[in-house]
Amino acid sequence: MTTFRAGAGISRQSVDTATAIALLGILVLASSSHPFARAQPSVVTTVTVGASPGAIAYDSAKGELFVTNFDSDTVSVISDQTNTVVANVSVGKGPDGVAYDPSTGELFVSNARAANGSDFPTVSVISDSTDKVVANIAIPDYVDSIAGIVYDSVKNEMFVISGSSADVSVISDRNNQVIENQEVDFNAQYAAYDSAKGELFLAGYAQGSVYVMSDSTYANVASVAIGSGTFGIGYDQAKGEVFVADQHSDTVSVISDSTNTVIANVTVGSDPYGVAYDNAKGEVFVANSGSNTVSAISDNNDSVVATVNVGTSPNGVGVAYDSGKGELFITNAGGFLSTTPGNVTVISDGSGSTSSTSSPVTTSTSVGVTSSSASASTSSSPSHSSATNTTSSSGGSLSISWNYIGMVAVNAAVFIIVGSFVATKRKNARLGGGPHSRASGPQSGYSMQSPED
């Protein structure tokens, strides 16, 4: 009698085949999709500018950054190719905010006072082709002072925020003339423009809310309760959300522009100030003065995905994103004396390639607020001292997307099912094939006798 043993061996082979196919599928999927490791942001270098740097705006046409120096009465122009200052432009007294107008290739700078020392605030217009002032715009004399300035890309207008007198002046970039002065009954210093809704979001440190203003009627659309320590504010055009730093609660409030309500509160570092949106990575960067860090928030899940150490008290009044290089520029003032030079910290967001090393950063008082078309928003408050740059990440160097894990799991399940099906077909074939093939029950095998027995 010739006996053929099959059951146990075929069962093990079926499992082995299915497992091998499943593992192969996972490996193929992992190699063809994005990598598990997330590139972490890191400090690239620092750039010395004027005294008490504040607001900052990115000029996408020239690949340059414009930084207001409050106590130097100048604007420093930084090349993003060399990370060096290529020009210093004299403006009015106490330049506070800056915004870039891509339609004219001009920068608009809000000054606390005119260059001649008069008591009236002005706006200086700088051409980015010559790095010279081409116009000075007088703000009405009943406006006590001005701080922030934001560009409305839909109407080609500049909105100048006057914190102490609760006014907003509107400038047409066609003729550089003030065309509207709106009393908003809201002492705002920080602003961001929502291009999807045609609205401005205004924040004031002591107001406890965010004021939403229509750019067509100049009327109050809504007031969103946040907290009494609001500073920087930035607009995320991909998600239609506004991110507002709240110093007192050490959080960033996320506002939906469709409902004008807070939909999330993200805990960041201590004393968050400036905010900027990184459209390449879908992240929001927040400068935390109290913890000497910059937090990167994913707009996918409104959670902190990385933290960068940038030195002591990085007030980050000016935060701007350079889409051409994948870098963040954060202003830091220089010391207790108004004559001490400040600097700008350059951070790579990990999406591009940079080749510099970190260096010491000294930070201090910064004044100014702005939001530009480069998705930059800035804020202000005094803060002093210095330290050395290092980098770190919250949660380690490996960050895995839950969406990616889910995709791997689903595909692995598909491969297991397919593998099991193939193994079953092979088993049936070895037993004689077809639906009438004999199969074993719970026992480990079965026997077949030869005809001659």
Side-chain angles (χ1 to χ4, degrees):
M1 180 182 70
T2 304
T3 303
F4 298 91
R5 292 284 180 183
I10 292 179
S11 176
R12 186 180 301 111
Q13 185 179 24
S14 299
V15 174
D16 290 344
T17 303
T19 302
I21 294 175
L23 290 175
L24 178 61
I26 293 173
L27 290 173
V28 170
L29 180 64
S31 64
S32 62
S33 185
H34 61 277
F36 281 96
R38 176 191 180 279
Q40 296 297 307
S42 59
V43 173
V44 174
T45 189
T46 59
V47 183
T48 300
V49 289
S52 300
I56 184 169
Y58 174 58
D59 178 343
S60 55
K62 293 289 295 292
E64 294 176 342
L65 283 297
F66 286 72
V67 183
T68 61
N69 303 305
F70 188 85
D71 286 319
S72 295
D73 301 333
T74 60
V75 172
S76 295
V77 185
I78 300 173
S79 167
D80 71 354
Q81 293 301 310
T82 61
N83 287 334
T84 59
V85 173
V86 295
N88 282 292
V89 185
S90 295
V91 289
K93 299 293 183 181
D96 212 355
V98 60
Y100 171 60
D101 181 346
S103 66
T104 62
E106 294 175 339
L107 281 296
F108 285 68
V109 181
S110 58
N111 308 300
R113 296 289 179 265
N116 61 9
S118 71
D119 291 335
F120 304 128
T122 62
V123 171
S124 299
V125 184
I126 301 174
S127 168
D128 70 356
S129 60
T130 63
D131 291 334
K132 296 183 181 301
V133 174
V134 295
N136 283 293
I137 305 168
I139 301 300
D141 56 11
Y142 57 80
V143 176
D144 295 336
S145 64
I146 56 178
I149 185 167
V150 59
Y151 175 61
D152 179 338
S153 57
V154 173
K155 299 193 69 179
N156 293 325
E157 295 172 347
M158 286 286 171
F159 285 72
V160 184
I161 314 302
S162 169
S164 58
S165 60
D167 288 293
V168 174
S169 299
V170 185
I171 299 174
S172 169
D173 70 357
R174 295 177 178 85
N175 55 18
N176 290 334
Q177 297 292 318
V178 175
I179 59 175
E180 177 72 22
N181 278 290
Q182 182 69 32
E183 185 174 348
V184 296
D185 193 28
F186 188 92
N187 294 329
Q189 292 88 30
Y190 326 105
Y193 175 62
D194 178 346
S195 56
K197 295 289 294 292
E199 295 175 346
L200 286 90
F201 286 73
L202 311 179
Y205 178 75
Q207 300 304 301
S209 62
V210 170
Y211 183 98
V212 187
M213 178 182 181
S214 168
D215 71 351
S216 57
T217 65
Y218 308 122
N220 181 19
V221 175
S223 292
V224 185
I226 299 291
S228 60
T230 53
F231 272 93
I233 181 169
Y235 174 58
D236 176 346
Q237 67 262 31
K239 297 289 293 289
E241 295 173 348
V242 177
F243 288 72
V244 185
D246 186 351
Q247 182 191 17
H248 289 172
S249 64
D250 297 337
T251 61
V252 171
S253 297
V254 186
I255 301 174
S256 167
D257 71 354
S258 60
T259 61
N260 288 329
T261 59
V262 175
I263 58 175
N265 285 291
V266 184
T267 299
V268 288
S270 175
D271 296 340
Y273 280 74
V275 179
Y277 173 61
D278 176 343
N279 55 11
K281 302 195 72 177
E283 294 175 352
V284 176
F285 284 77
V286 184
N288 307 305
S289 176
S291 58
N292 314 323
T293 60
V294 171
S295 299
I297 301 173
S298 169
D299 68 359
N300 269 338
N301 53 19
D302 294 331
S303 64
V304 174
V305 294
T307 303
V308 185
N309 294 330
V310 293
T312 303
S313 298
N315 48 7
V317 169
V319 182
Y321 176 60
D322 177 348
S323 56
K325 292 289 292 295
E327 293 178 344
L328 276 295
F329 288 73
I330 301 175
T331 59
N332 304 286
F336 290 101
L337 300 177
S338 61
T339 57
T340 304
N343 55 60
V344 173
T345 301
V346 185
I347 297 177
S348 169
D349 69 356
S351 66
S353 60
T354 54
S355 59
S356 298
T357 57
S358 62
S359 57
V361 177
T362 303
T363 63
S364 183
T365 306
S366 294
V367 182
V369 51
T370 185
S371 180
S372 78
S373 62
S375 304
S377 177
T378 61
S379 55
S380 68
S381 186
S383 146
H384 313 279
S385 88
S386 65
T388 301
N389 292 322
T390 57
T391 60
S392 66
S393 95
S394 59
S397 62
L398 187 65
S399 178
I400 302 175
S401 166
W402 286 109
N403 291 335
Y404 180 67
I405 293 175
M407 182 173 62
V408 170
V410 170
N411 281 272
V414 171
F415 276 106
I416 289 173
I417 293 172
V418 172
S420 298
F421 175 76
V422 171
T424 301
K425 295 289 289 182
R426 292 185 62 185
K427 172 183 174 180
N428 289 339
R430 293 190 60 173
L431 295 178
H436 304 295
S437 298
R438 294 183 58 186
S440 64
Q443 69 272 23
S444 61
Y446 62 90
S447 298
M448 293 182 62
Q449 290 187 335
S450 61
E452 60 269 23
D453 289 339

